[in-house]
């Protein structure tokens, strides 16, 4: 039974890399008929940001990843928030102390600094608390049992460190990277537990993954350096480690470095799923949702940042992603974020929406321009505009002429297409249109009949008429636009344009 977890820390808004990690976990779980679990890793109280957990939940819900177990939907492995599991961490840390695999360390911050400075002076800058140096420090390995007990009884601050063995090979198989081998002498005696009663990330993470029976740990590459330590911890507890898969980094569009939280608004695209306002600095960051992205487009785009289906198919519904996804098709190399491609995905999903749904989305914006606009008319407008739009707002912004007559006329088109004979042609068209029924088909027929009769080409009439009606040189089907505007408005616009342009 596959069980995977997404384990964010509520230290700020969820970066889109985090959403990608959640997505791959979700897809892997669903593909394997397993469970997708959300666990909130909130043991680092210094970095706790109010509102971040709510943000994470909202972002995951918007993206469409429903958890099988989470703080909001507890299953039998709860609680799902680490701050509510404190007692467990204490018990398990004690277990490591009792079996001699962890120890108390009483060194103060000053003492540790002093050791680092000394090492630096001796040209050994990377001082570590490890199997060699621990023998010169103040800990339960160098103090007597009585001294240790006394210090603890006195309330001296301490941490509990893992007793990392010297010169042992630590190896594990990563599902994406293959075998990873590290010598334990390169790993320091990491702090597992602090005297404030809080575990560190490493301890809590391993205890929870074990107790929650997690089978696969799928997480970002930034955790790869921690994995050997985690393997050592599993070994110390005598537990079987889960399988690991470390996902590739998401890189900046130019491939230069990791896409960071700061990049988004600077480079002109969101890096967060939803808008976020920092509660302390009030700094605002934009989100995909508010920018007008469909969650399906956002997810489809994310799915390709590190994975590919091995075919040329690019558009995938969530069901199709679940069907196609596998860790074997996740690459090791960093995946470049592509802002244009991201917009392209949204365009595809916008085109797939039906016109009524789009009209609902932009109804309020449209009403602000014209209070009398009906949903039906707006649906027709959306139907016409959607081929060229990337975002729902474009439907309105690019179709300003549906709401008011043009007051200016595209200069280039005027120069090229508004000829001496154009006004009289426009008057003819006006007469023909006046006699026709105002469906797009009837208008087109009348228009074509006129061209044939006069033996003139479309290029002599179409652009001029479009100028009169929209003020622009390009746009969707002119006959549909006229039909939506109606007879009175269309004829009036021809008159008004003739007055202004002649
Ligand atoms: N809490 C860690 C984070 O914020 C989880 C890392 C992991 O998945 O092990 O990314």
């Amino acid at each position: 039974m596959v069980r995977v977890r997404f384990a964010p820390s509520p230290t700020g808004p969820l970066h889109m890399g985090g959403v990608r990690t959640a997505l791959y976990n979700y897809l892997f779980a669903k593909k394997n008929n397993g469970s997708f679990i959300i666990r909130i890793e909130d043991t680092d109280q210094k970095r706790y940001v109010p509102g971040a957990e709510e943000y994470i939940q909202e972002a995951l819900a918007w993206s469409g990843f429903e958890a099988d177990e989470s703080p909001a939907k507890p299953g039998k492995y709860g609680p799902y928030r680490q701050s509510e599991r404190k007692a467990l961490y204490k018990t398990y840390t004690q277990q490591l102390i009792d079996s001699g695999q962890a120890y108390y360390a009483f060194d103060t911050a000053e003492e540790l600094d002093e050791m680092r400075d000394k090492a630096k002076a001796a040209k050994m800058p990377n001082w570590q608390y490890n199997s060699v140096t621990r023998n010169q420090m103040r800990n339960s390995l160098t103090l007597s049992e009585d001294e240790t007990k006394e210090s603890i009884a006195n309330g001296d601050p301490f941490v509990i460190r893992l007793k990392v063995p010297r010169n042992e090979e630590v190896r594990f198989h990563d599902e994406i990277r293959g075998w990873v081998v590290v010598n334990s002498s390169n790993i320091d005696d990491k702090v597992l537990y602090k005297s404030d009663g809080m575990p560190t990330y490493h301890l809590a993470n391993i205890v929870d993954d074990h107790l929650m029976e997690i089978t696969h740990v799928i997480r970002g590459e930034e955790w790869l350096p921690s994995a050997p330590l985690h393997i050592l911890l599993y070994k110390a507890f005598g537990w079987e480690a889960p399988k690991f898969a470390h996902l590739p980094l998401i890189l900046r569009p130019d491939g230069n470095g990791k896409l960071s939280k700061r990049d988004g608004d600077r480079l002109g695209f969101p890096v967060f799923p939803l808008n976020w306002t920092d509660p302390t600095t009030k700094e605002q960051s934009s989100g995909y949702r508010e920018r007008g992205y469909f969650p399906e487009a956002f997810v489809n785009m994310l799915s390709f940042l590190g994975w590919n289906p091995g075919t040329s198919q690019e558009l995938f519904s969530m069901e199709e992603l679940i069907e196609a996804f596998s860790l074997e098709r996740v690459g090791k190399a960093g995946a470049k974020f592509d802002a244009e491609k991201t917009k392209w995905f949204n365009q595809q999903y916008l085109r797939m929406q039906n016109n009524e749904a789009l009209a609902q989305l932009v109804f309020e914006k449209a009403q602000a321009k014209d209070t009398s606009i009906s949903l039906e008319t707006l649906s027709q407008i959306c139907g016409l505009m959607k081929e060229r739009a990337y975002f729902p707002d474009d439907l309105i912004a690019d179709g300003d002429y549906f709401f008011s007559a043009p007051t200016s006329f595209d200069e280039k088109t005027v120069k090229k297409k508004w000829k001496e004979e154009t006004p009289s042609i426009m008057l003819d068209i006006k007469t023909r249109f006046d006699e026709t029924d105002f469906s797009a088909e009837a208008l087109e027929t009348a228009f074509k009949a006129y061209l044939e009769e006069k033996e003139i080409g479309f290029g002599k009439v179409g652009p001029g008429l479009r100028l009169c009606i929209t003020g622009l040189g390009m746009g969707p089907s002119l006959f549909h636009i006229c039909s939506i505007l109606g007879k009175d408005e269309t004829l009036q616009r021809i008159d008004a344009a003739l007055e202004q342009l002649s």
Side-chain angles (χ1 to χ4, degrees), residues 5-11 21 39-41 82 201 205 209 217-220 222-223 230:
R5 80 321 191 257
F6 177 57
S9 299
T11 53
T21 299
R39 181 174 75 226
I40 299 293
E41 302 208 325
Q82 289 188 328
Y201 153 73
N205 190 268
D209 282 347
V217 168
I218 304 171
R219 61 185 173 189
E222 64 273 27
W223 297 104
H230 295 174

Side-chain angles (χ1 to χ4, degrees), residues 106 138 143 146-158:
F106 300 97
R138 267 188 334 115
L143 301 173
D146 284 347
E147 284 169 319
T148 301
K149 278 193 183 137
E150 209 181 293
S151 285
I152 296 171
N154 278 345
D156 293 350
F158 64 82

Side-chain angles (χ1 to χ4, degrees), residues 385-427:
M385 301 303 291
K386 75 179 180 188
E387 286 308 307
R388 288 153 210 265
Y390 287 98
F391 303 104
D393 280 358
D394 296 347
L395 299 166
I396 302 289
D398 298 344
D400 213 32
Y401 47 81
F402 285 107
F403 303 92
S404 48
T407 50
S408 64
F409 299 87
D410 181 63
E411 265 176 47
K412 260 200 206 145
T413 317
V414 173
K415 242 195 209 143
K416 261 175 65 189
K417 298 288 177 181
W418 196 265
K419 298 281 158 59
E420 227 184 287
E421 66 278 14
T422 310
S424 85
I425 297 177
M426 290 304 125
L427 283 175

Side-chain angles (χ1 to χ4, degrees), residues 230-245:
H230 295 174
I231 295 292
L232 284 174
L233 267 167
Y234 281 105
K235 217 168 145 195
F237 278 117
W239 297 335
E240 193 192 328
K243 293 202 158 113
F244 287 95

